[in-house]
Amino acid sequence: MAAPMLRWVGRGRLWTFARVDGGSCHRREAPTGSTSNWIRGQSSVAQQPLYTTQKPRKGEHKWAAVVGLEIHAQISSNSKLFSGSQVRFSAPPNSLVSFFDASLPGTLPVLNRRCVEAAVMTGLALNCHINKKSLFDRKHYFYADLPAGYQITQQRLPIAVNGSLTYGVYAGKKQSQVIPKTVRIKQIQLEQDSGKSLHDDLRSQTLIDLNRAGVGLLEVVLEPDLSCGEEAATAVRELQLILQALGTSQANMAEGQLRVDANISVHHPGEPLGVRTEVKNLNSIRFLAKAIDYEIQRQINELENGGEILNETRSFHYQLGCTMSMRDKEGKQDYRFMPEPNLPPLVLYDATSLPAGADPQQVINIDQIRETLPELPSVTRERLVQQYGMLLEHSFTLLNEVGLLEFFQNVIKETRAEPKKVTSWVLNTFLGYLKQQNLAVSESPVTPSALAELLDLLDSRTISSAAAKEVFEELWKREGKTPGQIVSEKQLELMEDRGALEQLCHSMMEAHPQVVMDLKKGNPRAINKLIGLVRKATQSRADPAMIKEILEKKLSS
Amino acid sequence: MLGRTLQEVSAALKQGQITPTELCQKCLSLIKKTKFLNAYITVSEEVALKQAEESEKRYKNGQSLGDLDGIPIAVKDNFSTSGIETTCASNMLKGYIPPYNATVVQKLLDQGALLMGKTNLDEFAMGSGSTDGIFGPVKNPWSYSKQYREKRKQNPHSKNEDSDWLITGGSSGGSAAAVSAFTCYAALGSDTGGSTRNPAAHCGLVGFKPSYGLVSRHGLIPLVNSMDVPGILTRCVDDAAIVLGALAGPDPKDSTTVHDPINKPFMLPSLADVSKLCIGIPKEYLIPELSSEVRSLWSKAADLFESEGAKVLEVSLPHTSYSIVCYHVLCTSEVASNMARFDGLQYGHRCDINVSTEAMYAATRREGFNDVVRGRILSGNFFLLKENYENYFVKAQKVRRLIANDFVNAFNSGVDVLLTPTTLSEAVPYLEFIKEDNRTRSAQDDIFTQAVNMAGLPAVSIPVALSNQGLPIGLQFIGRAFCDQQLLTVARWFEKQVQFPVIQLQELMDDCSAVLENEKSASVSLKQ
């Protein structure tokens, strides 16, 4: 298979991917097979983009990047992983701290059932093997916001292993096709979040907020199957959608509910992997892609210039757009892992292993959780494609924008218009306006009902599509008016009076004999000019198709 | 009244022979008189008197909460007590006042017990002498007993008596001294490698270590989480059973407590006939370091069972000799981990250095922990290093499993209870004890007790007789996991046979009448 290649020129210029959903390292043809069943997951692990330097030496000097991710998702739960403290974002500092969270001596962890269920659910959704027995470990390091001096995690035997995550990257000439890719999931482990340190440099103080300390996290460890920022970004986005669909995490990156660390290295294909760096604190999907691509290129440059890559932790500086060595940990940390002695092994059951007469409050049944799994994004997309006949990439867009799918479905529910029409209006017009003004779906001035009514007007041929655009524009600007009101106020109803329209066409032809001559000379496109003139005269209220039909009839007669 | 057992004084309270307040005041006054023993770190006089007042009301209204209502108790200073300083005898926790009660403390208070105070120990319970805490060593009340003093007078070589006091053993030495000196009727200790049984043996008390998982550890400041158990120190087995009855049971705050229903309350059936009983004597416990007196008592005890018709078998616990080194690895590893939270940030000691967080941690921990604790932290961290983990920690865990299996095999061979020494010899003088360092002492002194903690089994030390020097010697019974009741039943039968003498402290205390009121005749059936 010919590997896609990206060459670049210009010494010292940094190579970056411009957009997560745009410029790409995947200039490949669409895969064989229909697009609707790709979700079932062909592995695309082997396809890695290669990078070449600006000055190829003897032969091509190609680089391949290897990227692995560790993703921390805060579990959506009323209380913390091992204590009864509430979990709430932006509560007053240290207001959600139990004695255990503050690590008062003598306190013990008590596992939160909800967190275990969330982990099992997530594991099932990510095609993992759920371990019937898993263990908790202590990971030691000193940090001011880690009051116990260790974090309880699952290092030796995590709750779920060997899964996969299928995501789609955009490809094709217009970046409009979606190619399925799969990244293997090494494991999912339950662990505690740390508190937060707030550094006050002015007073050289560090303030500690333990509200977050002990909140349950799912650490999802991806195998290093990714090869560029865009792949990482789309994989994380897909994971985010899955977690949100499951309700196991709100996965809001801005609120820190989803945090990603990336392990990155480069090497020449066929040669051993290079030394890797870890880039931390990637708190948006856009920065994730940027940081990874920056780091890949930095490593290539470093190696090309005879330098070496240090096994170090780097952070992404989003203002400067570059990664920087954190240098806060001297040498390698030894976390001195040890079994957590205060928690017995976590034992899960399935229908076959469930002991008879077991108290349902005391056991967790994997099969029961499997039955409650909601529709996953990949299935939703497939359904959208089948039910509404939309393109797969449209289904991706519908799911990727927060709230857009719900908006779309609400419009569909209330309108008689064709689903294809709805898709087109939602994805082109509606989304276009949102993007232009940088608004979220929830901030839209146009409600699903208003759009549905507008599409009904269009569908019933009460207005032309041009008029519909105008109505939409009005809806966007002036809240509180229904499309019907706008149409009647602005007299945008389609001219249904054929006689009047024929009259108008006739006088327009008479007024523009030159155009009629052109047409008769055999320039069929000249008719568009006439159509345009008639429409203008009707203030766009006439149906262009009807105008065309009348004109053609008159011209041929 | 003070010399009575818990059960007896409980009956006296019920009959109105004495009120809880009177009892409380008597104990408080004795605590003051015996202050030099250094048994208590904190005396919670006000709390105790208030509790006594409430208990008195209940008795007046006929609403007694049970056997423990109005009974003065003491708690080792490594159990969290709400509003009462809890130090672990360490600079690190000096001044630390927990906001909550350990489950066991709460359960005792819920039963109406009066908390007299918090008792002394080795720093963070690391030691076997109760000599290594910041509040100084605990003195064994037997140092001042008539029995011991008379023997010493007979010995022309005896040195100055005042500097020649004896250690209590440890690490729950304060609790042992408190019960032994009649300042309370029962005390909580903790037992990780023998810390309850060892001082019980040296102070002539019953020291009971319940099965791991039977009693909640919530609020017990941990030494080794996988071995720690709250221990009970009393004057007789029945008292231990009463306290166990109050403490045992699952705790939602401790996930390692077991949910299986346990017979409650722990009323011990009277055992008249031991002929159906099989007593195991582990041959590996017969070691050269064992004093001849203890060895002789041990064998007499076995003979006693045999003569009463019990089957006495020699059994083998082949991995016993690996127990000490295995314990060392596991204990220090968990210690290193458990002590990580003491960083001076949120509670406890914090140094004055503030150039950086790291410098603050280092200085705080250097100042806050003694050499013993720091030494264990260092070794523990060494064993947990990535390159050492497999060779030390994992191997030690495997050995632990072998040790536990030794017991399983012994019990599977038909043995009901194992009979062993508790300590190598009777209590030694402080000056003698400190000739060896803490680590050596702990390794020597835990030799008979610690394997039990590895296996999570119940065990109890019963005072058997006085040595030639007039000092108590204890023997240990080890039972099957969660067969605590059976174990105590056998122990009580044995206790009745040996009639261990009551400590005679009249020279020590002016108030001898109170102490001697219940003095029993010193019939020592097993005495050589």
Side-chain angles (χ1 to χ4, degrees):
Chain A
M1 184 182 307
M5 243 176 259
L6 193 131
R7 290 152 207 272
W8 65 293
V9 288
R11 181 179 284 274
R13 217 177 72 195
L14 294 175
W15 167 89
T16 54
F17 296 124
R19 296 170 23 228
V20 170
D21 57 347
S24 165
C25 49
H26 298 279
R27 299 188 187 280
R28 295 182 64 245
E29 292 309 307
T32 52
S34 78
T35 48
S36 60
N37 67 0
W38 64 270
I39 291 150
R40 299 203 179 89
Q42 312 89 313
S43 171
S44 56
V45 172
Q47 305 155 11
Q48 289 180 345
L50 299 179
Y51 305 84
T52 58
T53 62
Q54 69 269 43
K55 262 194 190 170
R57 296 186 188 122
K58 287 172 194 165
E60 289 273 68
H61 205 51
K62 292 168 191 154
W63 292 99
V66 176
V67 180
L69 302 179
E70 285 172 17
I71 301 156
H72 291 92
Q74 257 185 22
I75 298 171
S76 178
S77 156
N78 293 331
S79 59
K80 295 185 181 179
L81 182 55
F82 297 119
S83 81
S85 304
Q86 266 189 64
V87 177
R88 216 167 66 229
F89 184 70
S90 74
N94 294 311
S95 61
L96 310 174
V97 185
S98 72
F99 301 148
F100 174 79
D101 304 329
S103 294
L104 293 195
T107 53
L108 299 170
V110 178
L111 186 55
N112 179 344
R113 182 192 177 93
R114 156 68 191 160
C115 293
V116 177
E117 287 169 342
V120 171
M121 198 177 231
T122 307
L124 291 172
L126 295 174
N127 313 303
C128 288
H129 168 75
I130 307 294
N131 279 325
K132 297 259 178 67
K133 178 181 154 187
S134 61
L135 303 170
F136 290 96
D137 304 283
R138 292 180 178 180
K139 175 182 179 177
H140 299 88
Y141 60 93
F142 283 103
Y143 206 76
D145 54 28
L146 186 76
Y150 57 82
Q151 174 198 35
I152 303 179
T153 177
Q154 294 195 297
Q155 188 231 1
R156 290 166 301 161
L157 194 52
I159 191 162
V161 292
N162 297 337
S164 63
L165 170 67
T166 303
Y167 58 98
V169 289
Y170 289 91
K173 276 182 189 160
K174 291 180 181 168
Q175 295 297 312
S176 61
Q177 283 165 312
V178 176
I179 303 175
K181 291 228 161 194
T182 299
V183 53
R184 290 169 299 154
I185 290 166
K186 183 168 182 256
Q187 65 186 54
I188 300 175
Q189 64 204 46
L190 278 165
E191 62 183 35
Q192 295 173 298
D193 209 341
S194 63
K196 274 183 185 165
S197 294
L198 306 156
H199 301 288
D200 180 349
D201 290 334
L202 217 60
R203 295 184 188 83
S204 70
Q205 280 184 333
T206 299
L207 303 170
I208 310 294
D209 179 5
L210 293 180
N211 281 353
R212 203 182 68 178
V215 170
L217 293 179
L218 295 173
E219 178 173 335
V220 182
V221 183
L222 305 188
E223 296 282 6
D225 296 341
L226 306 164
S227 54
C228 65
E230 191 211 350
E231 283 190 356
T234 45
V236 169
R237 179 65 185 130
E238 185 69 14
L239 178 64
Q240 196 176 29
L241 289 172
I242 291 171
L243 294 171
Q244 286 164 347
L246 296 172
T248 55
S249 172
Q250 290 174 308
N252 181 339
M253 287 187 90
E255 290 187 1
Q257 288 147 349
L258 195 72
R259 304 191 287 271
V260 183
D261 300 335
N263 288 303
I264 300 159
S265 68
V266 298
H267 70 136
H268 297 304
E271 289 177 20
L273 294 179
V275 175
R276 64 180 196 183
T277 60
E278 185 181 14
V279 180
K280 280 197 173 288
N281 304 330
L282 302 167
N283 54 13
S284 85
I285 287 186
R286 199 158 59 91
F287 291 146
L288 167 71
K290 268 192 164 177
I292 290 171
D293 291 336
Y294 174 88
E295 181 61 16
I296 290 170
Q297 198 55 54
R298 186 194 69 85
Q299 291 189 9
I300 293 172
N301 289 352
E302 192 69 41
L303 293 168
E304 285 295 327
N305 294 328
E308 62 171 339
I309 304 301
L310 302 175
N311 182 355
E312 62 179 354
T313 304
R314 302 176 68 86
S315 70
F316 181 66
H317 197 294
Y318 64 93
Q319 282 137 332
L320 302 177
C322 65
T323 65
M324 289 185 194
S325 179
M326 286 172 80
R327 293 186 211 286
D328 63 338
K329 290 173 187 169
E330 284 175 35
K332 257 186 165 177
Q333 281 263 67
D334 189 322
Y335 292 117
R336 291 156 287 131
F337 283 101
M338 189 192 86
E340 167 55 66
N342 294 321
L343 290 167
L346 170 57
V347 178
L348 307 174
Y349 298 91
D350 60 18
T352 55
S353 67
L354 193 69
D359 178 1
Q361 289 304 307
Q362 292 294 324
V363 295
I364 287 178
N365 184 340
I366 300 167
D367 291 326
Q368 213 172 348
I369 292 175
R370 199 192 308 274
E371 283 163 23
T372 64
L373 280 181
E375 183 179 85
L376 295 178
S378 57
V379 180
T380 308
R381 290 191 199 104
E382 211 168 349
R383 180 169 57 79
L384 290 171
V385 167
Q386 282 173 5
Q387 196 171 342
Y388 303 120
M390 69 175 70
L391 293 172
L392 184 62
E393 34 284 24
H394 290 160
S395 70
F396 265 90
T397 313
L398 275 183
L399 266 72
N400 275 341
E401 296 298 327
V402 177
L404 192 61
L405 177 63
E406 199 190 348
F407 187 95
F408 169 81
Q409 284 173 329
N410 286 336
V411 177
I412 285 268
K413 248 186 262 167
E414 295 185 37
T415 185
R416 293 186 302 272
E418 286 284 301
K420 277 192 175 170
K421 198 96 193 159
V422 179
T423 307
S424 160
W425 269 81
V426 168
L427 291 184
N428 298 326
T429 315
F430 178 68
L431 190 56
Y433 271 76
L434 286 175
K435 292 257 149 155
Q436 204 183 358
Q437 302 194 16
N438 207 11
L439 293 178
V441 174
S442 58
E443 296 166 318
S444 156
V446 177
T447 63
S449 313
L451 182 56
E453 188 188 335
L454 174 60
L455 294 180
D456 277 347
L457 292 171
L458 188 62
D459 186 63
S460 62
R461 302 177 56 83
T462 309
I463 54 173
S464 69
S465 55
K469 293 261 158 69
E470 202 180 327
V471 174
F472 188 84
E473 170 96 41
E474 279 301 307
L475 280 173
W476 196 271
K477 279 194 278 194
R478 307 189 316 190
E479 286 179 66
K481 295 231 167 168
T482 67
Q485 285 168 330
I486 294 169
V487 167
S488 61
E489 263 178 39
K490 303 196 89 178
Q491 298 184 328
L492 293 172
E493 293 92 344
L494 206 58
M495 260 179 84
E496 296 283 11
D497 184 346
R498 192 178 171 97
L501 203 54
E502 276 179 6
Q503 188 59 46
L504 198 59
C505 286
H506 184 75
S507 46
M508 205 55 79
M509 279 168 74
E510 285 197 329
H512 298 277
Q514 190 58 46
V515 183
V516 178
M517 278 297 283
D518 275 4
L519 261 166
K520 289 192 166 158
K521 274 182 191 163
N523 180 5
R525 284 165 69 186
I527 197 169
N528 290 340
K529 178 148 195 191
L530 280 178
I531 296 171
L533 288 166
V534 176
R535 283 190 66 206
K536 205 172 175 186
T538 64
Q539 291 169 308
S540 300
R541 286 159 58 213
D543 179 4
M546 195 193 271
I547 300 170
K548 194 178 177 195
E549 186 215 334
I550 293 169
L551 284 172
E552 276 170 349
K553 214 174 191 175
K554 285 192 182 292
L555 284 163
S556 62
S557 62
Chain B
M1 192 61 74
L2 290 180
R4 294 187 184 186
T5 66
L6 189 158
Q7 205 176 29
E8 288 160 356
V9 84
S10 180
L13 282 168
K14 282 173 194 159
Q15 288 157 18
Q17 292 171 12
I18 189 167
T19 69
T21 307
E22 286 164 5
L23 192 60
C24 184
Q25 274 161 346
K26 277 179 193 284
C27 286
L28 285 169
S29 112
L30 202 48
I31 288 172
K32 278 170 199 155
K33 278 178 196 147
T34 58
K35 195 172 189 304
F36 68 97
L37 293 176
N38 208 10
Y40 289 83
I41 291 173
T42 305
V43 180
S44 46
E45 182 168 351
E46 280 179 36
V47 172
L49 284 170
K50 192 156 183 293
Q51 288 164 342
E53 202 180 305
E54 283 161 17
S55 170
E56 198 154 326
K57 276 185 211 155
R58 289 192 294 268
Y59 274 108
K60 271 187 188 148
N61 299 334
Q63 292 168 329
S64 150
L65 295 170
D67 288 344
L68 289 174
D69 204 344
I71 303 289
I73 52 130
V75 172
K76 190 177 180 179
D77 206 24
N78 60 349
F79 287 94
S80 292
T81 42
S82 181
I84 299 170
E85 189 178 352
T86 299
T87 67
C88 287
S90 174
N91 274 322
M92 190 55 95
L93 284 179
K94 219 171 164 181
Y96 167 66
I97 298 176
Y100 73 101
N101 277 326
T103 297
V104 285
V105 172
Q106 191 60 51
K107 283 188 168 183
L108 290 175
L109 297 181
D110 289 346
Q111 299 279 313
L114 318 179
L115 178 59
M116 308 311 289
K118 304 296 291 293
T119 58
N120 205 346
L121 65 156
D122 290 298
E123 182 161 335
F124 282 102
M126 296 182 203
S128 60
S130 300
T131 53
D132 279 334
I134 55 158
F135 299 101
V138 185
K139 296 179 178 177
N140 192 327
W142 284 85
S143 317
Y144 309 96
S145 69
K146 190 176 158 195
Q147 292 102 322
Y148 178 62
R149 297 232 157 180
E150 278 177 357
K151 294 281 179 184
R152 290 195 67 78
K153 273 183 211 153
Q154 293 161 14
N155 183 351
H157 303 296
S158 68
K159 289 170 255 166
N160 177 0
E161 287 176 357
D162 289 337
S163 67
D164 222 15
W165 52 270
L166 309 155
I167 59 146
T168 53
S171 63
S172 311
S175 288
V179 178
S180 175
F182 305 118
T183 65
C184 61
Y185 292 86
L188 292 183
S190 61
D191 195 313
T192 309
S195 278
T196 293
R197 290 159 287 159
N198 174 290
H202 286 329
C203 295
L205 298 173
V206 171
F208 176 56
K209 174 219 172 286
S211 297
Y212 185 89
L214 181 60
V215 177
S216 169
R217 292 181 295 114
H218 173 252
L220 166 60
I221 297 175
L223 174 57
V224 186
N225 308 275
S226 64
M227 301 187 208
D228 290 342
V229 175
I232 299 166
L233 291 130
T234 53
R235 289 180 206 137
C236 67
V237 175
D238 277 323
D239 290 357
I242 290 170
V243 177
L244 179 65
L247 302 185
D251 178 8
K253 290 174 181 154
D254 178 357
S255 308
T256 61
T257 51
V258 294
H259 284 262
D260 297 326
I262 305 273
N263 289 337
K264 278 187 84 173
F266 281 82
M267 294 310 287
L268 303 179
S270 59
L271 182 68
D273 177 19
V274 292
S275 65
K276 290 202 179 72
L277 210 61
C278 183
I279 305 290
I281 308 292
K283 63 177 181 187
E284 288 80 7
Y285 281 50
L286 185 61
I287 53 170
E289 297 87 343
L290 185 62
S291 78
S292 57
E293 276 188 288
V294 178
R295 194 174 66 216
S296 154
L297 278 173
W298 182 22
S299 110
K300 277 171 190 271
D303 292 345
L304 172 67
F305 276 102
E306 203 158 35
S307 67
E308 295 292 323
K311 201 166 149 193
V312 178
L313 281 183
E314 185 183 85
V315 297
S316 175
L317 303 170
H319 299 96
T320 301
S321 61
Y322 305 110
S323 175
I324 294 287
V325 61
C326 169
Y327 176 83
H328 182 70
V329 173
L330 296 177
C331 168
T332 56
S333 298
E334 286 199 34
V335 163
S337 176
N338 287 332
M339 297 294 145
R341 70 187 56 207
F342 299 106
D343 56 14
L345 278 181
Q346 298 180 77
Y347 46 79
H349 177 70
R350 187 194 290 189
C351 70
D352 296 328
I353 295 165
N354 59 2
V355 287
S356 73
T357 312
E358 287 74 17
M360 193 272 283
Y361 285 156
T364 295
R365 290 164 67 80
R366 189 175 60 239
E367 293 167 11
F369 295 134
N370 69 6
D371 288 349
V372 177
V373 179
R374 280 208 308 277
R376 290 202 193 181
I377 291 172
L378 285 173
S379 357
N381 277 321
F382 174 82
F383 297 135
L384 291 178
L385 285 177
K386 208 172 178 182
E387 73 241 43
N388 296 334
Y389 184 76
E390 286 289 324
N391 283 335
Y392 291 94
F393 191 85
V394 173
K395 276 202 179 140
Q397 277 191 313
K398 289 178 179 167
V399 174
R400 179 179 184 173
R401 174 56 56 98
L402 293 174
I403 291 168
N405 285 345
D406 280 354
F407 285 106
V408 172
N409 294 337
F411 288 121
N412 283 348
S413 73
V415 167
D416 297 303
V417 169
L418 295 167
L419 173 63
T420 77
T422 309
T423 55
L424 290 166
S425 66
E426 75 274 71
V428 297
Y430 176 70
L431 293 175
E432 187 68 28
F433 185 80
I434 57 171
K435 282 179 186 164
E436 298 279 4
D437 66 19
N438 178 296
R439 200 183 134 201
T440 312
R441 282 298 182 195
S442 299
Q444 289 169 350
D445 296 340
D446 289 350
I447 198 140
F448 300 125
T449 47
Q450 162 200 99
V452 165
N453 296 77
M454 298 259 199
L457 305 174
V460 61
S461 178
I462 303 294
V464 180
L466 295 184
S467 69
N468 287 332
Q469 288 195 77
L471 292 176
I473 289 175
L475 290 176
Q476 173 179 236
F477 292 94
I478 303 168
R480 290 192 179 96
F482 299 104
C483 294
D484 300 56
Q485 191 186 30
Q486 181 195 31
L487 173 73
L488 290 178
T489 305
V490 174
R492 192 179 65 159
W493 178 88
F494 182 71
E495 176 188 54
K496 294 280 180 266
Q497 309 300 309
V498 297
Q499 290 292 311
F500 181 76
V502 167
I503 183 172
Q504 296 173 29
L505 289 177
Q506 58 269 58
E507 282 177 38
L508 175 64
M509 291 165 279
D510 320 325
D511 196 10
C512 24
S513 59
V515 175
L516 296 172
E517 190 182 329
N518 194 46
E519 188 184 353
K520 289 170 187 165
S521 62
S523 72
V524 186
S525 60
L526 288 185
K527 189 86 184 97
Q528 292 99 317

